[in-house]
Amino acid sequence: MPHLNITGLNGAFSELKRGANYALLAPLDNQLLELTRHLLTNHKDSVFLLSEQVELFFEGEGSELLFTLFEQKVLHPFHLHHNENVSKSLHFSRGVINEIKQYEQLKNSTVIVHVDSEHLVSLNEQQLGEKLKLYVALSQSKNVTLVFLMSGAYVSELRRQLLALNRFFDGLIYITQEASIRTLEYDYWCHKEGVIAGRSVNLQLHDGQLALVEVEQEADDKSQATEQDFDEDEVWLTQSAVPEGTKLPVFYKIIDDNDGVVS
């Protein structure tokens, strides 16, 4: 099952389901490429990559992964050709889908569609919805994990459009960056136990690997434990580590020895 291979990231924030559709948005392509490489780490099933700029994925730091997947015949790259005269009827829709349907490897695969926000923001809600319906049908009929990568100058406007069309997506993330901190803003994200909505995680890059810095939580969310929460108020100590007569907080627990702590 594909997921975001980010150190310390809770499974609910990282899992992507089969037969589902996700949108990752960012102003800059390199922010999306970085996240895509983490998505494809340890990926075993077929990947179909559709982009007007396929070469971007094979450039820069971390591109060795994509070359390896291509050489292993796991990654299948396709060029999208944008023609302004036919974009509303063909681009980002039926023609591309019919082409990749010819591949037996499509079933149970991951399909990544990289598009510039400029090509989508000009479409009205009905036009964009009609195109998204085709991809939803593809993901459901072929049990595909479909990931849209959307970037460019109009990505903020596109984000608002997609929120109005959220019935077509199982998850929507907006990526921002300030200095060395990358922030993933989860507008919503469906996972096996429910839905995450209105949450953010901060990440930092260490030796090419993204790692969690912190998870922002609203005060009323703190009681809802996840795998990522720490029992900060529950401290276990061995008897020998506590000086006699020490007054400890109520949540501190005294254990006889190290074996007791392990047990």
Side-chain angles (χ1 to χ4, degrees):
M1 189 68 69
H3 66 282
L4 299 174
N5 291 278
I6 296 173
T7 303
L9 190 63
N10 180 286
F13 287 78
S14 64
E15 66 183 40
L16 292 90
K17 302 182 295 183
R18 292 296 185 201
N21 306 277
Y22 301 90
L24 311 181
L25 289 78
L28 302 177
D29 280 319
N30 67 311
Q31 295 164 335
L32 293 173
L33 296 177
E34 189 174 75
L35 204 59
T36 301
R37 291 174 185 128
H38 283 72
L39 170 63
L40 297 180
T41 300
N42 300 322
H43 203 86
K44 304 300 181 185
D45 297 314
S46 294
V47 180
F48 289 80
L49 173 62
L50 287 62
S51 174
E52 286 186 281
Q53 299 174 292
V54 172
E55 63 278 0
L56 284 177
F57 291 81
F58 295 89
E59 297 173 352
E61 188 176 354
S63 60
E64 298 85 359
L65 170 64
L66 279 87
F67 279 107
T68 299
L69 292 176
F70 179 73
E71 291 168 358
Q72 294 174 346
K73 298 184 179 179
V74 172
L75 178 63
H76 307 278
F78 290 82
H79 272 286
L80 290 177
H81 300 284
H82 180 67
N83 184 321
E84 199 67 43
N85 295 324
V86 297
S87 64
K88 291 186 179 181
S89 59
L90 295 178
H91 178 70
F92 182 53
S93 56
R94 196 180 307 276
V96 175
I97 291 174
N98 287 339
E99 183 175 358
I100 64 176
K101 275 184 176 179
Q102 305 307 310
Y103 289 77
E104 293 181 1
Q105 301 94 322
L106 180 63
K107 190 172 183 180
N108 303 322
S109 69
T110 298
V111 176
I112 298 174
V113 184
H114 175 226
V115 292
D116 193 299
S117 57
E118 183 179 5
H119 301 328
L120 304 178
V121 75
S122 60
L123 304 177
N124 62 38
E125 183 173 324
Q126 181 180 356
Q127 291 169 331
L128 185 52
E130 288 300 315
K131 296 183 186 304
L132 293 175
K133 284 180 185 178
L134 296 173
Y135 279 93
V136 170
L138 173 68
S139 64
Q140 293 176 348
S141 65
K142 298 294 184 178
N143 201 34
V144 160
T145 299
L146 187 58
V147 182
F148 293 104
L149 306 179
M150 302 174 177
S151 59
Y154 300 95
V155 71
S156 295
E157 293 93 324
L158 182 61
R159 181 187 187 183
R160 289 193 289 271
Q161 285 181 271
L162 296 183
L163 284 172
L165 294 166
N166 58 17
R167 62 190 181 277
F168 296 113
F169 296 97
D170 296 271
L172 181 62
I173 292 178
Y174 187 78
I175 306 168
T176 61
Q177 184 171 344
E178 184 173 348
S180 64
I181 301 297
R182 286 84 161 152
T183 299
L184 305 187
E185 299 178 7
Y186 287 74
D187 288 320
Y188 60 93
W189 195 261
C190 299
H191 57 96
K192 61 185 177 184
E193 296 180 357
V195 180
I196 295 166
R199 301 284 291 277
S200 296
V201 298
N202 292 331
L203 311 173
Q204 203 160 18
L205 196 65
H206 299 283
D207 297 324
Q209 174 65 35
L210 284 172
L212 184 73
V213 175
E214 63 178 321
V215 177
E216 295 179 5
Q217 288 184 307
E218 298 295 336
D220 59 355
D221 287 340
K222 291 184 179 179
S223 61
Q224 301 177 5
T226 70
E227 296 171 8
Q228 203 161 285
D229 292 331
F230 297 100
D231 295 323
E232 294 178 345
D233 293 327
E234 187 172 304
V235 180
W236 293 28
L237 301 170
T238 60
Q239 184 68 55
S240 60
V242 184
E244 188 175 350
T246 302
K247 184 173 177 61
L248 296 172
V250 66
F251 293 111
Y252 280 47
K253 294 181 172 67
I254 303 300
I255 308 298
D256 288 340
D257 51 32
N258 287 335
D259 291 337
V261 173
V262 173
S263 298

